[in-house]
Amino acid sequence: MLRLDINKKFEPLRSCVGMHKKLHDHYNFQIIFEMATEPSASATPVKQENGVASAAGTASRFDQLYDKCATSPPGTVFFQRDLSALQVADTMEELLGLINGLCAQHLLKQLLFDNEPCWKLRDRREAEKLRTLTPDEHVLYQHIDQAQNEGVWSKALRAKTNFAQPTLTKCLKSLESKDLVQSIMSVKFPARKMYLLKYLTPSEDIAGGLWQNNGDFDMAMIDELSNAARQKIEELTCVRVPAKWNNYQRSERAAAIAHKKAHVLGLRDIEDGAPVRPYKLPVHGSSTRLVYKSNPTYPTATTMAAWLNGTDVLKGKVARDVDMEQLLEMMVLDGRLEKASAISYRTALNINDTKTLNGFVDAPCGTCPVFDLCADDGDISARTCVYFGEWLGTESEEIY
Amino acid sequence: MSYTQHETPALAELCSFLVQDIYGELAARVYSILARYGRQNLNQLVRASYLNRRQISLGLVTLVQSHLVFHSSRVSPVTAYEIDWQQSYALVRFGKVVKSVEDRFGKNASAIVGNLLEHGHTRIGDLKNALFPPQNPSEDYGDEGTNGAGAKRKRANGTNANGADGKVNGIVNGATNGALEEEQGTGAPDKMYLKTVDEFYDAIHLLMQTGWVMKVDEMQYLSPGDYHQVALTQVLDERWNGQMPSGTKDKGNVKKDLCQRKRNIRDAWAEPPQFVKTKRNPNSGTYEQSNKRIKINGTHALPSSGGGDNFDNAEDRLPIRINRDKIAVAMRTDQLVRLAEQRLGTTTARIYEIMLREIESQVPRCFEEWPDPPPDPKSAEPPPPPPTYLVTTREVELRTKDFDICEGLDPQAVSKITGRSLDRNLKMEDPVDPADLGQYQRFELIHAHIDLLSRDPFRFVTWHSGSGHSEWQIEFGEIAQRHIQQEIENTVSARKPQFGLKLIRALKKKGKLDERQAGLTMMIPAAEIRGVVNDLAVQGFVQTQEVPKVERREAKHSIHLIWYDRQRAREKLLHDTYKGMIRIIQRIAFEREKVQAVLEKAERTDVRGNESRFLGRDELDMLNSWKDVEERLLLQLSREDDLVAILRDFHGALISS
Ligand code: SF4
């Protein structure tokens, strides 16, 4: 699991530094297909080859080399010179022997970089599982490994390996049950089952963006983060005004004018121009309420992504601008936000607390499940209607 | 044919109910025949019903006088009758209209409007005589028994549509107009409005000047089809020797001329006539026809055939009626203010109301039915820009003296404008009375409100020109479209609270989507979408389409697309709303039926006014709860009517979504 986080962290580097990019990019490595070996026999041949050292000594040498390698950051790629620099083996021959041994035990994974062999460390537990694979499974495993976090489609696997479908299914099942590979539904092609190594995070292409998990939207996470974003945007674009914030004494004159106006209204001379109707004057708002800020800096997907990444709610994951845009646009759809301009957002205020929608749907018929069946008379009609009865608190006609 | 003249079965049913409620059984019977069979002449009507010729004629007279029915006597030898759906539907908003007019022009004007609505049309002189009976008012008051038509007299005393008939009252007016009803009780002698004949004429002039009242013209009786024919004949006779030209270009020109002709005829109706202003004496020169009531007119199709032209000036002879276009304009103002209030709060909405009312008198109608050039679906040219109506901040400021314009704004902005500081809790350390502020500061404050209006996604106002006290314009067409969309969204989210709104908006934004794409946009699992889509498709708010990928049409190998068409959704919702209104009217009838016996008792002349003495406890309770129920239902009816206005009356057909 750790390793994948590292991969993530390295991501920015990939795009800017040429050499590093190559080093860390799986696609530039050619995977050397390891020999499928019988699990039981895996360790023994090595020992025999290294006749010089005692069995116990060699074994500990293996461990030594492995442990030393393990001190480097996970995912490091070792070239031969790197390994010899660790000074575990005395001779090159011995070193190669150790390396071969570790490879055979699946503790090292051999790769080629610019035709130069190099190695990567494998987790011990994983190596152990690998040793239990059948040759067929092993071939599959390597194909899947090669696809890395892009995953490989089961049909493509079949084409590559020429296995019969039942064998393929059986092997894949077994790999999955050993927790070595995972299968997920592709987001791009929902009918495709994609296989990739268990410890990898599927790439965006197959798993969708930040918000998707295994091809499905992570509803809990979306809920939580959209609420957080809503709150943040409310802070940025609205201001909560306290009750009676401008509690002035109405001057006598103004009060008199208003009073007179209301009084005169009925008798007002009609040529007086457009009238002012008696109006319930909102004298100093008596409760706190939200109003839009007068000079807001409207948030955009970019600023909101930066904000989100600045908090650590995402636990190591990174929200890109496009992820944030997707979320904010969705919130515009469900009415929590509204567009302030083409790229910026603000809170959608609904001043009334009471939910009145429109004349039609606030009446029983507007949301009536039997609206289309309701007729002028008969079993379902305004006379017999239970919904009206409930709404008005009156009796409806009984139907038998 | 006009977009708003579309007729649906639900509308026909609704209108039949309204006519029956207000004009009674006979008129309703004739009306429903016309609703069922469409355009008919008298003979056809007689054949289609069990009524005899005399009865049908009587019914038709009522319908024609109230402008509920068009007739073709001007253009064809055999008169054909046809329903005016717009006018029929408008029956439901009579109460609202009276209220609107009162809001805008006071009670003098609303009393006149009430009368005009009730009668369809009347000559100015007749209306005057009805409102200012030439004989001694107290005498008139005393002759209840002989007159025998209490309702008639009451009307003559200058009340509104309310008083004429219990039924009018019940259906149009009950909920919205309580205040006015109270006035009636106080009786004519010390009424609060229309005290002098001069006031009466002033109110009439004001109403004509602002376009609320217009002349009656024979052409108004023509159905849209006949109207079209007449205008076409006129155009062809004048410019094309009575022949339809054959070239495409010429045809285009005819079309253009035709639209212009239609506009011209119509605009002439609302042209306020010029009358010499004279001082009048209510009792001079009109004694001869002291017993004349407006009602006399009611039995004649056209006022000119009324009982003798004995008015001595042209003004009194002029027949007038309400201009329906203006009603829609006023309703639009009210609905927009309501919307702004929901989104931005009372104070800002109040500013918006002032802006809208400021330009209302310049706005003749919500949208042009016969635009210039005529709409051509083939041409790529955008339609001509609608007329612009401008308001300046200065004009607004003049009308904001009586309320607190600091409210509803960001305190920081107010603090900056007024130069007073805020404490930590955003409270004014030194509270400021907006009435004491200088003009410049008041401009700034109003500006801040207008700014809120212009930043709203509805774009309630748009900056037009000028700095400082800028000029603002209101783009009604755009706003109306968003408004329609909003109501559709409201409806969908009430019906499908979970994902309905999101789906509609996603489709509106992205066009046609399949389930997976819709899921991605809405960020929900695609599987959740199917249910919502199915329900909304059944309700007619979204459409689905299957596009086969292979030759055989197989569900598995097809792409299933979902899309949303605003115009279709709009029409569906409008239709549903009509149906909802029918159900409310039916429920009112049912509820009334339940208390019928008590109601009849309560309306007996000896019981009236002495209810507590003659009615038992539970009878009183029943009456009271019936009143509550009725009021509630009428209020809802009126709110559904608001929705109809938004959906139907503020914007022409929406071409694409
Ligand atoms: S009257 Fe009742 S049953 Fe009929 S549509 Fe309305 S709510 Fe539904």
Side-chain angles (χ1 to χ4, degrees), chain B residues 47 112 138 161 184 206 253 290 317 441 571 591 639:
Chain B
R47 240 173 293 137
I112 290 168
S138 60
Q184 287 172 20
L206 179 62
N253 283 335
S290 57
R317 281 194 298 274
Q441 288 172 329
E571 272 164 23
E591 297 284 348
R639 291 192 55 215

Side-chain angles (χ1 to χ4, degrees), chain A residues 364-365 368 370-371 374 380-382 385 387-388, chain B residues 583:
Chain A
C365 304
C368 172
V370 289
F371 185 76
C374 187
I380 304 179
S381 73
C385 176
Y387 307 102
F388 261 120
Chain B
R583 298 286 173 258

Side-chain angles (χ1 to χ4, degrees), chain A residues 275 329 376 383 394-395, chain B residues 13 104 509 591 593-594:
Chain A
E329 284 296 322
D376 291 339
R383 302 173 68 90
T394 60
E395 299 283 317
Chain B
E13 192 184 349
R104 285 166 177 77
K509 187 168 130 193
E591 297 284 348
E593 214 172 274
K594 288 196 290 185

Side-chain angles (χ1 to χ4, degrees), chain B residues 393-426:
Chain B
T393 315
R394 185 190 293 279
E395 287 166 325
V396 178
E397 195 274 334
L398 289 175
R399 307 207 181 285
T400 54
K401 303 278 202 262
D402 60 341
F403 61 95
D404 180 0
I405 50 174
C406 295
E407 203 46 61
L409 293 176
D410 178 357
Q412 261 134 13
V414 178
S415 147
K416 215 164 122 202
I417 291 168
T418 59
R420 319 221 176 171
S421 46
L422 294 170
D423 66 10
R424 250 183 312 117
N425 302 322
L426 286 183

Side-chain angles (χ1 to χ4, degrees), chain B residues 592-606:
Chain B
R592 186 188 293 125
E593 214 172 274
K594 288 196 290 185
V595 291
Q596 193 61 43
V598 190
L599 273 179
E600 271 166 18
K601 192 171 169 194
E603 266 156 29
R604 263 168 35 198
T605 39
D606 54 334

Side-chain angles (χ1 to χ4, degrees), chain A residues 84-119:
Chain A
S84 58
L86 294 175
Q87 293 180 334
V88 177
D90 304 327
T91 64
M92 186 55 70
E93 202 177 278
E94 192 191 344
L95 181 66
L96 287 180
L98 287 174
I99 291 173
N100 278 339
L102 285 172
C103 281
Q105 292 183 60
H106 301 288
L107 284 165
L108 278 183
K109 170 167 142 191
Q110 186 172 2
L111 308 156
L112 274 186
F113 182 76
D114 265 356
N115 274 333
E116 196 185 340
C118 53
W119 297 269

